[in-house]
Amino acid sequence: SAVISQKPSRDICQRGTSLTIQCQVDSQVTMMFWYRQQPGQSLTLIATANQGSEATYESGFVIDKFPISRPNLTFSTLTVSNMSPEDSSIYLCSVWGGETQYFGPGTRLLVL
Amino acid sequence: GENVEQHPSTLSVQEGDSAVIKCTYSDSASNYFPWYKQELGKGPQLIIDIRSNVGEKKDQRIAVTLNKTAKHFSLHITETQPEDSAVYFCAASRGGSYIPTFGRGTSLIVHP
């Protein structure tokens, strides 16, 4: 199994600012992902964080808005840039460990 | 791509009753079907999964059934307890490096 921690666990931010979310895994993993979960909604994949190269973004998500870093096999960051109230959501880090997908506890973001 | 439909969106039962959540998928090549439980304020946790080479899998009070012909799978929880109250997500993927597609979630409420 994989144990994932995220920082911060929650934050309240002003519109126009940026927030960087950190994800730390207790073991080396090849595949690392970032999801968004809007209130009462399902899990929407933002991007796959690739170690040593640019992240792979899903349709509707762009690097300028959600820059991602993956400096090694245990750590990644997601930045939510130039935030608006529509960015209020839960952001989840996820990894493939063996043949199972694991999720972090999430970062709850409220943008005012 | 894969499309996963999940029903119902909300399910309310009395403690001790059974609960059934149903999902359908569109990609006939999907062969891995996990179920996740998300408690309030936490990230999704894998509770059970099934692969296409079996029709049913049980783990204590939880069981999952799969009908590949009809492309649907279900989660069954028997003898429900208040601590079963959570949001449950189904997902489907082709396995390997294919990222699962998630259903929209079912909010299960177990009344004591």
Side-chain angles (χ1 to χ4, degrees), chain A residues 51-85:
Chain A
Q51 194 265 329
S53 64
E54 197 171 279
T56 304
Y57 290 84
E58 297 299 305
S59 176
F61 298 96
V62 295
I63 187 171
D64 290 346
K65 176 67 176 176
F66 297 101
I68 288 171
S69 78
R70 177 93 191 268
N72 56 52
L73 292 176
T74 63
F75 185 80
S76 177
T77 67
L78 168 75
T79 299
V80 186
S81 303
N82 188 25
M83 288 183 286
S84 66

Side-chain angles (χ1 to χ4, degrees), chain B residues 10-103:
Chain B
T10 305
L11 180 58
S12 183
V13 300
Q14 289 296 128
E15 182 176 2
D17 288 350
S18 295
V20 181
I21 302 170
K22 299 181 179 182
C23 290
T24 61
Y25 61 99
S26 61
D27 184 356
S28 57
S30 287
N31 59 17
Y32 175 61
F33 307 92
W35 286 88
Y36 289 85
K37 175 183 181 181
Q38 185 176 27
E39 297 176 354
L40 197 62
K42 297 184 179 180
Q45 298 291 313
L46 179 72
I47 56 171
I48 194 168
D49 57 14
I50 191 168
R51 298 185 187 275
S52 59
N53 56 343
V54 297
E56 183 176 4
K57 184 176 179 180
K58 286 185 178 180
D59 183 2
Q60 299 183 342
R61 296 186 296 109
I62 294 173
V64 58
T65 59
L66 171 65
N67 184 326
K68 283 202 68 178
T69 303
K71 294 210 278 283
H72 66 70
F73 56 112
S74 301
L75 178 71
H76 304 253
I77 306 174
T78 59
E79 301 173 24
T80 54
Q81 301 167 4
E83 50 265 40
D84 294 328
S85 296
V87 178
Y88 291 81
F89 292 97
C90 65
S93 88
R94 294 186 177 187
S97 60
Y98 286 90
I99 300 166
T101 299
F102 287 85

Side-chain angles (χ1 to χ4, degrees), chain A:
Chain A
S1 67
V3 177
I4 304 170
S5 59
Q6 285 185 234
K7 289 181 182 179
S9 58
R10 60 179 66 244
D11 208 341
I12 300 174
C13 300
Q14 297 298 318
R15 70 173 65 205
T17 63
S18 298
L19 175 72
T20 295
I21 303 167
Q22 298 179 5
C23 175
Q24 180 73 54
V25 190
D26 68 342
S27 58
Q28 293 186 339
V29 292
T30 304
M31 301 186 77
M32 213 161 177
F33 312 98
W34 287 98
Y35 284 82
R36 182 174 72 183
Q37 184 179 22
Q38 293 179 307
Q41 300 297 313
S42 188
L43 308 168
T44 301
L45 181 64
I46 297 172
T48 301
N50 302 308
Q51 194 265 329
S53 64
E54 197 171 279
T56 304
Y57 290 84
E58 297 299 305
S59 176
F61 298 96
V62 295
I63 187 171
D64 290 346
K65 176 67 176 176
F66 297 101
I68 288 171
S69 78
R70 177 93 191 268
N72 56 52
L73 292 176
T74 63
F75 185 80
S76 177
T77 67
L78 168 75
T79 299
V80 186
S81 303
N82 188 25
M83 288 183 286
S84 66
E86 292 72 35
D87 294 320
S88 297
S89 190
I90 300 172
Y91 292 86
L92 294 156
C93 176
S94 176
V95 304
W96 274 109
E99 293 187 317
T100 303
Q101 187 172 11
Y102 299 93
F103 288 87
T107 295
R108 283 144 186 82
L109 172 63
L110 176 63
V111 183
L112 302 177

